[in-house]
Each structure stands twice: as C-alpha cells, then as structure tokens.
Amino acid sequence: MTTAIAALRAKVASQRTDNPVMFGAVDFSIWPERLLKDQPELSDLRGPFAKDASRLLARSDLIERMEAYTMLGDTVADPYAALMPQYGFRPLVDMLTLACDKGLDAVPDAPAELVRFIRSMEATPAWVNMDLIERGASIQRNAMANFAPWAIRGGFIATFMNKYAALPMALTGTLSHKTAGRRIKETAVFFATSTLPGALQRFGPGFKAAAMVRLMHSMVRFNVLARARWDQRVYGIPIPQVDQMPAGLISDYFLSAKALKEGRKTFNADERAQVELSRYRCFLLGLPQDLLGDNPQDVVDIWNARMVTIRSGFDEATCGALLKATMETELVDTSTPAGAIRERFEKSFSKLYFLQNFCDGKEERARDFGVRIDAADKLRAGLVGVHVIGRIRAFEAAAKVPGLRRLADRRLVGKVRNYLGTLGHAEFTSDAEKYRPAPGAVPAT
C-alpha cells in the first residue's frame, strides 16, 4: 500500500470521528456488496473497453483509489449539512446562499463548517488556468445551446442503470414522477450556467450553483443515513465520490475515448480547454484531484476503474421506477401543440442518445433497462439529429471567421440564457420533509 492510499483510507475512516452526527453509525471497515474485487464479469464494465479489465485490475493503486472513494462523502459539505438538527433546513440554505452571493463576512456568526466549506472552494488549485477555462466554456456553449436541450433526458436516465448508485434518489423520493422534471432541470441549470462567460469566477452563478449542488448531495446523504433506511453492508455510503464522477466527467470521457480511438495520447487545443473546464467544475463540486485525469488514457482508465469495481445490478423497484419517471416527466409546457410536438421529438432523441452512448447501440440492452425504441422514435430522432448537427456546424463555421466569431458567441450566450429561462429556478435542495420513498425501494437492514 502506498503512502497516498494509506492517507486516503485514513481520511475515509476519519469521517466517523470528524462527523459523528452523520457517520457515527457507519462501520467503514465493512466491505459492501456493491464493491467488487477481481470479478470483472460481474461489473458494469461493458463495451469496447471490457478488454481492459485485466490491465485495470493489475493497477493496484488505481483500484485501491476506487475502493476508498466508494466510501468517501464530501468532507467539507457533509459537516455543514450535519448542522440541520441544530440550525434547521432553510437557515443552512440561506446562509450558504448569502456566503456565495456576498462573501462569508456578510453571514452573521457564520458556523465554522460553513467557513471551511466556502474556503475550500475558494482555494483554487495551482493547475487552474481561468483563461483556458473560459475558452473551454465558449467552445461548450455551442453544444449546450443546440444539443443539450434535446439530450439531457437521455444522459440523465443513464444514471439509473445501476441500483447501487441509484438507490439514494429512490429512498428520498426526490425522483418520483412528480419531481423528476425538477431534478433534470436542476442538473441542466448547473451545467448550462457553467458555460456562461465568467460563471465560475468566485462570485459567478456557476460557483454558487456548485455549492448548492454539494449541499443538496450532503443533505441527501445525511437524511438517508439518519432515517435508518440504508444498508451499508450492501450499498456502502450514499452518493460517494465515485458516483458523482460520471456526471461531471462524461464529456471528458467521450472526448478521451475519441482521442484514443484516433491513436492520440494527448488532447488537441480545443479538447484541452474543454477538459480544463470540466476539471475545474468538478473541483468546485468537491471531486478529489486524483479522480480528474488530465490526458485521454487517464480519463478513460479512471472512469473504467469505477465501472470494473461496481457490481452490476438493475432492478425494477429502484432503477426501473426512476427511469420510468424520468422518461414520462414533462420538460416543456405541453399544453400547446408546439410544446407537445417538441416533447415527443425530444423524448425520441433522448432514447436514441441513450442507446448509442450507454447501450453500445444494442436495442435489446436498452429494452433490458426499460427503454423501448420503435420506428417512429428513430424517425423523429433522425430529424432532430439533422437539425441539431446543422446548427452546431453552422456555429462552428462562424467561430472560424474573425468577423463573425464574436457575433456567433453572443448569439450562443443568448441561446444558453434562453434555455436557462425555460428551465426555471433551480432550488438545489433536499428537504427531508418532502421525501417520499419509491415503493419497494427501501432495503432490508
């Protein structure tokens, strides 16, 4: 065991003593059922990278890192969320909002836990290059404005393919049919906001959104553990660091896989800018730096190391219910003919996006996850694809023309803002009083 791994394991174990309100009943010496070792055939590693299982498992440092992060929460946001019995739900949200908007000095008698939380986000790592991050945001605005509104549902349902990772949301009921749309929109709000100019600066809206996302996750973690509905022998801890990694790094993973397929070991300039945006965004979300690969092979290996160490598992009570709710929720106003038509086309496109990117293009595998695709879906998705690709390429071409570059970017900023307007206000909160566990989702303890 390396010194770094030993220190990481000590950090995992210290959660119980440092934050007894949340983790006092958790035994971090227990090896949970979800965590695999040397059993790739039972894991979620599938597709073209399945052949890498043996190579990944031979990298003991990488695998031990995944094992540790499977049992690690957010060591600065969790203690703040654990103040709920003392302060109450709403005051914690209000104090964090004020600290993000006006600084810690504006918060009267700010708890030490809040100070530590905000200071950790303000401690910008030496590798951060804000000019490069702004460039990455300007590149990603094109996809955010033209592609994301059609694909967000498909990317979101991919998070429910594994019962071990999906269970926290099922237990809290925050992804019931009634609230699925709200959570999808909150996810979209964070990532869309982060692509706006200056959004990730200290007092930018992206910085604030990242803090609120972290508090929401910590509140879920606190409430799930406090209500004794969690079997750590099966699931480990709720929403560990490794389960937050995929949402933050999915774009990096696709860029990296593409680079490796082309025989490249490094990113080109545009890819590098986008990867640095994602890495900084993930830093603000609390992800440890050693989960943030900075070259194509590292990004893919870290992602797949998680996949090879998590036990595969899909059940109807948890994954099926969440997926169904997500597919059925309305993301736009369908009371008008135009809204109803757009919803139908968007759902079809999301299904095909899910099929191609998370099911290796195999319709039978998509059906196993409860996503059924018919000829009408393919037709609608094809039409959306032509529309989306055409718009993306038009903006890419404009970005290469000096006289049009600034105008095109201004138009994209406007489109992203309009998209945010359709998503509405994101609360980024998890109030235990509103929890309604999904039927059949509560595990035995």
Side-chain angles (χ1 to χ4, degrees), residues 45-76:
L45 186 61
R46 299 284 188 272
F49 289 111
K51 66 182 185 304
D52 292 342
S54 297
R55 179 178 62 81
L56 293 171
L57 291 171
R59 290 186 56 186
S60 59
D61 63 321
L62 179 59
I63 298 303
E64 288 174 347
R65 205 187 315 165
M66 294 302 111
E67 293 167 358
Y69 284 129
T70 297
M71 300 299 291
L72 186 69
D74 188 328
T75 57
V76 294

PDB file of all heavy atoms in Angstrom, residues 45-76:
ATOM      1  N   LEU A  45     -18.504  -2.834 -16.311  1.00  0.00           N
ATOM      2  CA  LEU A  45     -17.603  -2.543 -17.424  1.00  0.00           C
ATOM      3  C   LEU A  45     -18.031  -3.364 -18.633  1.00  0.00           C
ATOM      4  O   LEU A  45     -17.918  -4.588 -18.645  1.00  0.00           O
ATOM      5  CB  LEU A  45     -16.161  -2.857 -17.049  1.00  0.00           C
ATOM      6  CG  LEU A  45     -15.108  -2.464 -18.093  1.00  0.00           C
ATOM      7  CD1 LEU A  45     -15.131  -0.951 -18.329  1.00  0.00           C
ATOM      8  CD2 LEU A  45     -13.717  -2.902 -17.655  1.00  0.00           C
ATOM      9  N   ARG A  46     -18.528  -2.691 -19.635  1.00  0.00           N
ATOM     10  CA  ARG A  46     -19.036  -3.330 -20.843  1.00  0.00           C
ATOM     11  C   ARG A  46     -18.481  -2.630 -22.077  1.00  0.00           C
ATOM     12  O   ARG A  46     -17.754  -1.646 -21.982  1.00  0.00           O
ATOM     13  CB  ARG A  46     -20.575  -3.242 -20.885  1.00  0.00           C
ATOM     14  CG  ARG A  46     -21.286  -3.941 -19.733  1.00  0.00           C
ATOM     15  CD  ARG A  46     -21.292  -5.456 -19.929  1.00  0.00           C
ATOM     16  NE  ARG A  46     -22.133  -6.114 -18.939  1.00  0.00           N
ATOM     17  CZ  ARG A  46     -21.744  -6.509 -17.751  1.00  0.00           C
ATOM     18  NH1 ARG A  46     -20.483  -6.285 -17.385  1.00  0.00           N
ATOM     19  NH2 ARG A  46     -22.563  -7.107 -16.918  1.00  0.00           N
ATOM     20  N   GLY A  47     -18.841  -3.131 -23.244  1.00  0.00           N
ATOM     21  CA  GLY A  47     -18.486  -2.462 -24.484  1.00  0.00           C
ATOM     22  C   GLY A  47     -17.034  -2.629 -24.871  1.00  0.00           C
ATOM     23  O   GLY A  47     -16.337  -3.542 -24.418  1.00  0.00           O
ATOM     24  N   PRO A  48     -16.521  -1.699 -25.690  1.00  0.00           N
ATOM     25  CA  PRO A  48     -15.170  -1.844 -26.249  1.00  0.00           C
ATOM     26  C   PRO A  48     -14.060  -1.826 -25.207  1.00  0.00           C
ATOM     27  O   PRO A  48     -12.964  -2.318 -25.475  1.00  0.00           O
ATOM     28  CB  PRO A  48     -15.055  -0.643 -27.199  1.00  0.00           C
ATOM     29  CG  PRO A  48     -16.064   0.340 -26.712  1.00  0.00           C
ATOM     30  CD  PRO A  48     -17.184  -0.479 -26.185  1.00  0.00           C
ATOM     31  N   PHE A  49     -14.303  -1.269 -24.028  1.00  0.00           N
ATOM     32  CA  PHE A  49     -13.255  -1.201 -23.015  1.00  0.00           C
ATOM     33  C   PHE A  49     -13.275  -2.392 -22.054  1.00  0.00           C
ATOM     34  O   PHE A  49     -12.451  -2.452 -21.130  1.00  0.00           O
ATOM     35  CB  PHE A  49     -13.363   0.097 -22.222  1.00  0.00           C
ATOM     36  CG  PHE A  49     -12.975   1.322 -23.009  1.00  0.00           C
ATOM     37  CD1 PHE A  49     -13.927   2.253 -23.376  1.00  0.00           C
ATOM     38  CD2 PHE A  49     -11.656   1.527 -23.389  1.00  0.00           C
ATOM     39  CE1 PHE A  49     -13.573   3.378 -24.107  1.00  0.00           C
ATOM     40  CE2 PHE A  49     -11.291   2.650 -24.124  1.00  0.00           C
ATOM     41  CZ  PHE A  49     -12.258   3.579 -24.484  1.00  0.00           C
ATOM     42  N   ALA A  50     -14.180  -3.333 -22.250  1.00  0.00           N
ATOM     43  CA  ALA A  50     -14.227  -4.508 -21.370  1.00  0.00           C
ATOM     44  C   ALA A  50     -12.922  -5.299 -21.431  1.00  0.00           C
ATOM     45  O   ALA A  50     -12.520  -5.922 -20.457  1.00  0.00           O
ATOM     46  CB  ALA A  50     -15.406  -5.402 -21.762  1.00  0.00           C
ATOM     47  N   LYS A  51     -12.259  -5.217 -22.567  1.00  0.00           N
ATOM     48  CA  LYS A  51     -10.986  -5.940 -22.735  1.00  0.00           C
ATOM     49  C   LYS A  51      -9.893  -5.388 -21.834  1.00  0.00           C
ATOM     50  O   LYS A  51      -8.853  -6.042 -21.628  1.00  0.00           O
ATOM     51  CB  LYS A  51     -10.541  -5.857 -24.200  1.00  0.00           C
ATOM     52  CG  LYS A  51     -10.190  -4.456 -24.662  1.00  0.00           C
ATOM     53  CD  LYS A  51      -9.802  -4.422 -26.126  1.00  0.00           C
ATOM     54  CE  LYS A  51      -9.327  -3.045 -26.561  1.00  0.00           C
ATOM     55  NZ  LYS A  51     -10.309  -1.976 -26.306  1.00  0.00           N
ATOM     56  N   ASP A  52     -10.104  -4.196 -21.283  1.00  0.00           N
ATOM     57  CA  ASP A  52      -9.090  -3.565 -20.435  1.00  0.00           C
ATOM     58  C   ASP A  52      -9.194  -3.983 -18.976  1.00  0.00           C
ATOM     59  O   ASP A  52      -8.400  -3.514 -18.143  1.00  0.00           O
ATOM     60  CB  ASP A  52      -9.215  -2.039 -20.511  1.00  0.00           C
ATOM     61  CG  ASP A  52      -8.826  -1.489 -21.877  1.00  0.00           C
ATOM     62  OD1 ASP A  52      -8.149  -2.205 -22.630  1.00  0.00           O
ATOM     63  OD2 ASP A  52      -9.213  -0.342 -22.183  1.00  0.00           O
ATOM     64  N   ALA A  53     -10.149  -4.842 -18.658  1.00  0.00           N
ATOM     65  CA  ALA A  53     -10.400  -5.185 -17.258  1.00  0.00           C
ATOM     66  C   ALA A  53      -9.142  -5.711 -16.558  1.00  0.00           C
ATOM     67  O   ALA A  53      -8.801  -5.272 -15.458  1.00  0.00           O
ATOM     68  CB  ALA A  53     -11.533  -6.198 -17.156  1.00  0.00           C
ATOM     69  N   SER A  54      -8.459  -6.656 -17.182  1.00  0.00           N
ATOM     70  CA  SER A  54      -7.271  -7.255 -16.551  1.00  0.00           C
ATOM     71  C   SER A  54      -6.186  -6.219 -16.321  1.00  0.00           C
ATOM     72  O   SER A  54      -5.546  -6.197 -15.260  1.00  0.00           O
ATOM     73  CB  SER A  54      -6.729  -8.395 -17.417  1.00  0.00           C
ATOM     74  OG  SER A  54      -7.672  -9.430 -17.519  1.00  0.00           O
ATOM     75  N   ARG A  55      -5.976  -5.346 -17.293  1.00  0.00           N
ATOM     76  CA  ARG A  55      -4.957  -4.305 -17.150  1.00  0.00           C
ATOM     77  C   ARG A  55      -5.315  -3.356 -16.004  1.00  0.00           C
ATOM     78  O   ARG A  55      -4.447  -2.970 -15.200  1.00  0.00           O
ATOM     79  CB  ARG A  55      -4.821  -3.517 -18.459  1.00  0.00           C
ATOM     80  CG  ARG A  55      -3.797  -2.386 -18.387  1.00  0.00           C
ATOM     81  CD  ARG A  55      -3.663  -1.663 -19.719  1.00  0.00           C
ATOM     82  NE  ARG A  55      -4.887  -1.018 -20.142  1.00  0.00           N
ATOM     83  CZ  ARG A  55      -5.293   0.177 -19.689  1.00  0.00           C
ATOM     84  NH1 ARG A  55      -4.561   0.837 -18.797  1.00  0.00           N
ATOM     85  NH2 ARG A  55      -6.412   0.706 -20.132  1.00  0.00           N
ATOM     86  N   LEU A  56      -6.581  -2.982 -15.911  1.00  0.00           N
ATOM     87  CA  LEU A  56      -7.008  -2.078 -14.850  1.00  0.00           C
ATOM     88  C   LEU A  56      -6.881  -2.721 -13.478  1.00  0.00           C
ATOM     89  O   LEU A  56      -6.404  -2.101 -12.528  1.00  0.00           O
ATOM     90  CB  LEU A  56      -8.464  -1.640 -15.091  1.00  0.00           C
ATOM     91  CG  LEU A  56      -8.716  -0.759 -16.314  1.00  0.00           C
ATOM     92  CD1 LEU A  56     -10.213  -0.597 -16.546  1.00  0.00           C
ATOM     93  CD2 LEU A  56      -8.060   0.613 -16.142  1.00  0.00           C
ATOM     94  N   LEU A  57      -7.300  -3.979 -13.378  1.00  0.00           N
ATOM     95  CA  LEU A  57      -7.240  -4.671 -12.089  1.00  0.00           C
ATOM     96  C   LEU A  57      -5.802  -4.884 -11.629  1.00  0.00           C
ATOM     97  O   LEU A  57      -5.536  -5.018 -10.431  1.00  0.00           O
ATOM     98  CB  LEU A  57      -7.980  -6.009 -12.173  1.00  0.00           C
ATOM     99  CG  LEU A  57      -9.502  -5.897 -12.325  1.00  0.00           C
ATOM    100  CD1 LEU A  57     -10.107  -7.257 -12.610  1.00  0.00           C
ATOM    101  CD2 LEU A  57     -10.123  -5.286 -11.075  1.00  0.00           C
ATOM    102  N   ALA A  58      -4.863  -4.914 -12.578  1.00  0.00           N
ATOM    103  CA  ALA A  58      -3.449  -5.077 -12.226  1.00  0.00           C
ATOM    104  C   ALA A  58      -2.851  -3.790 -11.661  1.00  0.00           C
ATOM    105  O   ALA A  58      -1.788  -3.823 -11.036  1.00  0.00           O
ATOM    106  CB  ALA A  58      -2.657  -5.518 -13.449  1.00  0.00           C
ATOM    107  N   ARG A  59      -3.560  -2.676 -11.859  1.00  0.00           N
ATOM    108  CA  ARG A  59      -3.092  -1.390 -11.322  1.00  0.00           C
ATOM    109  C   ARG A  59      -3.650  -1.222  -9.904  1.00  0.00           C
ATOM    110  O   ARG A  59      -4.693  -0.597  -9.693  1.00  0.00           O
ATOM    111  CB  ARG A  59      -3.537  -0.233 -12.217  1.00  0.00           C
ATOM    112  CG  ARG A  59      -2.840  -0.184 -13.559  1.00  0.00           C
ATOM    113  CD  ARG A  59      -3.246   1.088 -14.298  1.00  0.00           C
ATOM    114  NE  ARG A  59      -2.976   2.300 -13.514  1.00  0.00           N
ATOM    115  CZ  ARG A  59      -3.341   3.518 -13.889  1.00  0.00           C
ATOM    116  NH1 ARG A  59      -3.982   3.679 -15.050  1.00  0.00           N
ATOM    117  NH2 ARG A  59      -3.074   4.570 -13.135  1.00  0.00           N
ATOM    118  N   SER A  60      -2.964  -1.800  -8.947  1.00  0.00           N
ATOM    119  CA  SER A  60      -3.470  -1.835  -7.576  1.00  0.00           C
ATOM    120  C   SER A  60      -3.711  -0.436  -7.013  1.00  0.00           C
ATOM    121  O   SER A  60      -4.675  -0.214  -6.270  1.00  0.00           O
ATOM    122  CB  SER A  60      -2.513  -2.609  -6.671  1.00  0.00           C
ATOM    123  OG  SER A  60      -1.222  -2.014  -6.682  1.00  0.00           O
ATOM    124  N   ASP A  61      -2.859   0.528  -7.373  1.00  0.00           N
ATOM    125  CA  ASP A  61      -3.043   1.890  -6.854  1.00  0.00           C
ATOM    126  C   ASP A  61      -4.359   2.488  -7.326  1.00  0.00           C
ATOM    127  O   ASP A  61      -5.086   3.132  -6.563  1.00  0.00           O
ATOM    128  CB  ASP A  61      -1.879   2.776  -7.292  1.00  0.00           C
ATOM    129  CG  ASP A  61      -1.796   2.926  -8.814  1.00  0.00           C
ATOM    130  OD1 ASP A  61      -2.049   1.921  -9.515  1.00  0.00           O
ATOM    131  OD2 ASP A  61      -1.495   4.034  -9.300  1.00  0.00           O
ATOM    132  N   LEU A  62      -4.693   2.262  -8.587  1.00  0.00           N
ATOM    133  CA  LEU A  62      -5.920   2.795  -9.152  1.00  0.00           C
ATOM    134  C   LEU A  62      -7.146   2.116  -8.540  1.00  0.00           C
ATOM    135  O   LEU A  62      -8.126   2.772  -8.166  1.00  0.00           O
ATOM    136  CB  LEU A  62      -5.919   2.615 -10.673  1.00  0.00           C
ATOM    137  CG  LEU A  62      -7.153   3.102 -11.435  1.00  0.00           C
ATOM    138  CD1 LEU A  62      -7.380   4.598 -11.204  1.00  0.00           C
ATOM    139  CD2 LEU A  62      -7.009   2.814 -12.930  1.00  0.00           C
ATOM    140  N   ILE A  63      -7.096   0.807  -8.425  1.00  0.00           N
ATOM    141  CA  ILE A  63      -8.229   0.067  -7.865  1.00  0.00           C
ATOM    142  C   ILE A  63      -8.432   0.414  -6.394  1.00  0.00           C
ATOM    143  O   ILE A  63      -9.572   0.595  -5.930  1.00  0.00           O
ATOM    144  CB  ILE A  63      -8.024  -1.451  -8.042  1.00  0.00           C
ATOM    145  CG1 ILE A  63      -7.952  -1.804  -9.534  1.00  0.00           C
ATOM    146  CG2 ILE A  63      -9.136  -2.229  -7.368  1.00  0.00           C
ATOM    147  CD1 ILE A  63      -9.162  -1.376 -10.345  1.00  0.00           C
ATOM    148  N   GLU A  64      -7.345   0.517  -5.638  1.00  0.00           N
ATOM    149  CA  GLU A  64      -7.468   0.885  -4.229  1.00  0.00           C
ATOM    150  C   GLU A  64      -8.032   2.297  -4.077  1.00  0.00           C
ATOM    151  O   GLU A  64      -8.749   2.596  -3.121  1.00  0.00           O
ATOM    152  CB  GLU A  64      -6.110   0.766  -3.542  1.00  0.00           C
ATOM    153  CG  GLU A  64      -5.671  -0.680  -3.344  1.00  0.00           C
ATOM    154  CD  GLU A  64      -4.260  -0.786  -2.784  1.00  0.00           C
ATOM    155  OE1 GLU A  64      -3.536   0.235  -2.785  1.00  0.00           O
ATOM    156  OE2 GLU A  64      -3.888  -1.877  -2.336  1.00  0.00           O
ATOM    157  N   ARG A  65      -7.708   3.170  -5.040  1.00  0.00           N
ATOM    158  CA  ARG A  65      -8.272   4.520  -5.029  1.00  0.00           C
ATOM    159  C   ARG A  65      -9.784   4.460  -5.211  1.00  0.00           C
ATOM    160  O   ARG A  65     -10.544   5.134  -4.509  1.00  0.00           O
ATOM    161  CB  ARG A  65      -7.641   5.338  -6.147  1.00  0.00           C
ATOM    162  CG  ARG A  65      -7.660   6.841  -5.918  1.00  0.00           C
ATOM    163  CD  ARG A  65      -7.171   7.586  -7.139  1.00  0.00           C
ATOM    164  NE  ARG A  65      -5.967   7.027  -7.731  1.00  0.00           N
ATOM    165  CZ  ARG A  65      -5.524   7.318  -8.943  1.00  0.00           C
ATOM    166  NH1 ARG A  65      -6.212   8.157  -9.703  1.00  0.00           N
ATOM    167  NH2 ARG A  65      -4.432   6.783  -9.412  1.00  0.00           N
ATOM    168  N   MET A  66     -10.250   3.639  -6.161  1.00  0.00           N
ATOM    169  CA  MET A  66     -11.682   3.495  -6.382  1.00  0.00           C
ATOM    170  C   MET A  66     -12.371   2.923  -5.148  1.00  0.00           C
ATOM    171  O   MET A  66     -13.475   3.349  -4.775  1.00  0.00           O
ATOM    172  CB  MET A  66     -11.950   2.575  -7.586  1.00  0.00           C
ATOM    173  CG  MET A  66     -11.500   3.116  -8.923  1.00  0.00           C
ATOM    174  SD  MET A  66     -12.257   4.709  -9.341  1.00  0.00           S
ATOM    175  CE  MET A  66     -10.812   5.780  -9.212  1.00  0.00           C
ATOM    176  N   GLU A  67     -11.730   1.955  -4.511  1.00  0.00           N
ATOM    177  CA  GLU A  67     -12.305   1.347  -3.314  1.00  0.00           C
ATOM    178  C   GLU A  67     -12.486   2.389  -2.213  1.00  0.00           C
ATOM    179  O   GLU A  67     -13.530   2.445  -1.548  1.00  0.00           O
ATOM    180  CB  GLU A  67     -11.405   0.212  -2.828  1.00  0.00           C
ATOM    181  CG  GLU A  67     -11.340  -0.971  -3.781  1.00  0.00           C
ATOM    182  CD  GLU A  67     -10.210  -1.928  -3.442  1.00  0.00           C
ATOM    183  OE1 GLU A  67      -9.446  -1.653  -2.484  1.00  0.00           O
ATOM    184  OE2 GLU A  67     -10.068  -2.950  -4.140  1.00  0.00           O
ATOM    185  N   ALA A  68     -11.471   3.226  -2.024  1.00  0.00           N
ATOM    186  CA  ALA A  68     -11.545   4.238  -0.973  1.00  0.00           C
ATOM    187  C   ALA A  68     -12.604   5.285  -1.278  1.00  0.00           C
ATOM    188  O   ALA A  68     -13.409   5.653  -0.409  1.00  0.00           O
ATOM    189  CB  ALA A  68     -10.177   4.897  -0.788  1.00  0.00           C
ATOM    190  N   TYR A  69     -12.636   5.751  -2.511  1.00  0.00           N
ATOM    191  CA  TYR A  69     -13.593   6.798  -2.853  1.00  0.00           C
ATOM    192  C   TYR A  69     -15.028   6.274  -2.897  1.00  0.00           C
ATOM    193  O   TYR A  69     -15.978   7.069  -2.892  1.00  0.00           O
ATOM    194  CB  TYR A  69     -13.218   7.454  -4.186  1.00  0.00           C
ATOM    195  CG  TYR A  69     -12.049   8.397  -4.053  1.00  0.00           C
ATOM    196  CD1 TYR A  69     -10.939   8.307  -4.900  1.00  0.00           C
ATOM    197  CD2 TYR A  69     -12.047   9.386  -3.073  1.00  0.00           C
ATOM    198  CE1 TYR A  69      -9.870   9.174  -4.768  1.00  0.00           C
ATOM    199  CE2 TYR A  69     -10.975  10.252  -2.936  1.00  0.00           C
ATOM    200  CZ  TYR A  69      -9.897  10.143  -3.779  1.00  0.00           C
ATOM    201  OH  TYR A  69      -8.832  11.004  -3.632  1.00  0.00           O
ATOM    202  N   THR A  70     -15.197   4.959  -2.944  1.00  0.00           N
ATOM    203  CA  THR A  70     -16.529   4.369  -2.840  1.00  0.00           C
ATOM    204  C   THR A  70     -17.096   4.562  -1.432  1.00  0.00           C
ATOM    205  O   THR A  70     -18.307   4.462  -1.217  1.00  0.00           O
ATOM    206  CB  THR A  70     -16.481   2.868  -3.190  1.00  0.00           C
ATOM    207  OG1 THR A  70     -16.071   2.730  -4.563  1.00  0.00           O
ATOM    208  CG2 THR A  70     -17.840   2.199  -3.046  1.00  0.00           C
ATOM    209  N   MET A  71     -16.223   4.846  -0.465  1.00  0.00           N
ATOM    210  CA  MET A  71     -16.658   5.027   0.920  1.00  0.00           C
ATOM    211  C   MET A  71     -16.441   6.455   1.424  1.00  0.00           C
ATOM    212  O   MET A  71     -16.523   6.712   2.625  1.00  0.00           O
ATOM    213  CB  MET A  71     -15.902   4.040   1.827  1.00  0.00           C
ATOM    214  CG  MET A  71     -16.114   2.580   1.482  1.00  0.00           C
ATOM    215  SD  MET A  71     -17.841   2.064   1.621  1.00  0.00           S
ATOM    216  CE  MET A  71     -18.058   2.140   3.405  1.00  0.00           C
ATOM    217  N   LEU A  72     -16.176   7.386   0.510  1.00  0.00           N
ATOM    218  CA  LEU A  72     -15.908   8.764   0.919  1.00  0.00           C
ATOM    219  C   LEU A  72     -17.003   9.701   0.430  1.00  0.00           C
ATOM    220  O   LEU A  72     -17.346   9.715  -0.753  1.00  0.00           O
ATOM    221  CB  LEU A  72     -14.557   9.227   0.370  1.00  0.00           C
ATOM    222  CG  LEU A  72     -14.087  10.613   0.833  1.00  0.00           C
ATOM    223  CD1 LEU A  72     -13.744  10.586   2.325  1.00  0.00           C
ATOM    224  CD2 LEU A  72     -12.864  11.064   0.028  1.00  0.00           C
ATOM    225  N   GLY A  73     -17.541  10.500   1.370  1.00  0.00           N
ATOM    226  CA  GLY A  73     -18.509  11.515   1.004  1.00  0.00           C
ATOM    227  C   GLY A  73     -17.813  12.828   0.712  1.00  0.00           C
ATOM    228  O   GLY A  73     -16.724  12.864   0.158  1.00  0.00           O
ATOM    229  N   ASP A  74     -18.422  13.932   1.110  1.00  0.00           N
ATOM    230  CA  ASP A  74     -17.860  15.267   0.909  1.00  0.00           C
ATOM    231  C   ASP A  74     -17.429  15.775   2.276  1.00  0.00           C
ATOM    232  O   ASP A  74     -18.256  16.174   3.097  1.00  0.00           O
ATOM    233  CB  ASP A  74     -18.926  16.181   0.300  1.00  0.00           C
ATOM    234  CG  ASP A  74     -18.379  17.537  -0.129  1.00  0.00           C
ATOM    235  OD1 ASP A  74     -17.443  18.031   0.526  1.00  0.00           O
ATOM    236  OD2 ASP A  74     -18.899  18.105  -1.110  1.00  0.00           O
ATOM    237  N   THR A  75     -16.130  15.776   2.533  1.00  0.00           N
ATOM    238  CA  THR A  75     -15.636  16.032   3.892  1.00  0.00           C
ATOM    239  C   THR A  75     -15.761  17.483   4.342  1.00  0.00           C
ATOM    240  O   THR A  75     -15.496  17.779   5.506  1.00  0.00           O
ATOM    241  CB  THR A  75     -14.166  15.587   4.030  1.00  0.00           C
ATOM    242  OG1 THR A  75     -13.368  16.270   3.047  1.00  0.00           O
ATOM    243  CG2 THR A  75     -14.034  14.080   3.853  1.00  0.00           C
ATOM    244  N   VAL A  76     -16.146  18.392   3.447  1.00  0.00           N
ATOM    245  CA  VAL A  76     -16.403  19.765   3.894  1.00  0.00           C
ATOM    246  C   VAL A  76     -17.879  20.133   3.820  1.00  0.00           C
ATOM    247  O   VAL A  76     -18.372  20.887   4.667  1.00  0.00           O
ATOM    248  CB  VAL A  76     -15.551  20.801   3.114  1.00  0.00           C
ATOM    249  CG1 VAL A  76     -14.082  20.619   3.421  1.00  0.00           C
ATOM    250  CG2 VAL A  76     -15.801  20.733   1.630  1.00  0.00           C
TER     251      VAL A  76
END
